[in-house]
Amino acid sequence: MNRRTPSLLLSASLLLGAVGAAHAALPAEATLYMNPECGCCHEYDRQLEEKGVSVTIIDDVEVGKIKQQVGLPFGLGSCHTTLMGDYAIEGHVPFEAVERLFQERPRIGGIGLAGMPIGTPGMPGPKRGDWDVYQFTDQEPMPFMTL
């Protein structure tokens, strides 16, 4: 065994640990508020559950009131709002952004992705252009990350 082998093994194990930690950072449970006729919301739910999150779906409340309660900025909504841990996740936010949120745990109300962009989790089709994920607190949006 040469001198580099122990260093490479250590680096590989640290990298694998970091990848596992990203998935472990997600809360075990979430509540997804949606319109009962929306099919893409169920697909987002399914993909969250594949990541180990148990999702409760609530489709018998006025979703607009939930968006107001969490402080979502006007005009930046989507078809569903998910509450996870201490955060609101608005719409079809890619899981890379959700995992980053729970790794960093900033002091914000949540993150969102306006509209229903094609190619995001739950929305079929290939990705078209950049996705500008925003963060918000008390209805004030700021950039979070671009994917």
Side-chain angles (χ1 to χ4, degrees):
M1 186 157 64
N2 69 35
R3 288 182 160 173
R4 289 188 180 172
T5 302
S7 294
L8 290 173
L9 290 174
L10 177 61
S11 296
S13 65
L14 290 173
L15 180 61
L16 288 174
V19 170
H23 294 292
L26 292 179
E29 299 177 344
T31 303
L32 190 145
Y33 295 89
M34 60 172 275
N35 180 310
E37 288 84 36
C38 187
C40 62
C41 299
H42 285 291
E43 181 60 22
Y44 194 84
D45 156 50
R46 186 189 68 73
Q47 291 183 29
L48 257 180
E49 291 203 348
E50 284 179 357
K51 294 200 165 288
V53 178
S54 175
V55 180
T56 300
I57 294 178
I58 298 180
D59 63 3
D60 62 351
V61 298
E62 189 178 326
V63 180
K65 287 186 179 181
I66 301 299
K67 294 177 188 310
Q68 263 186 328
Q69 289 173 0
V70 302
L72 186 73
F74 182 76
L76 293 179
S78 184
C79 57
H80 63 267
T81 303
T82 305
L83 301 183
M84 293 178 69
D86 294 329
Y87 299 105
I89 314 295
E90 179 62 22
H92 294 268
V93 176
F95 297 121
E96 181 180 346
V98 176
E99 289 170 351
R100 177 180 163 196
L101 173 69
F102 285 100
Q103 286 172 351
E104 296 178 1
R105 297 193 178 272
R107 297 180 118 181
I108 60 173
I111 60 174
L113 182 62
M116 299 166 67
I118 293 173
T120 55
M123 294 301 296
K127 182 178 185 220
R128 297 180 184 167
D130 290 338
W131 298 323
D132 294 320
V133 178
Y134 61 90
Q135 64 185 31
F136 63 92
T137 301
D138 297 328
Q139 300 179 330
E140 293 296 323
M142 292 184 62
F144 182 69
M145 71 187 299
T146 299
L147 299 166

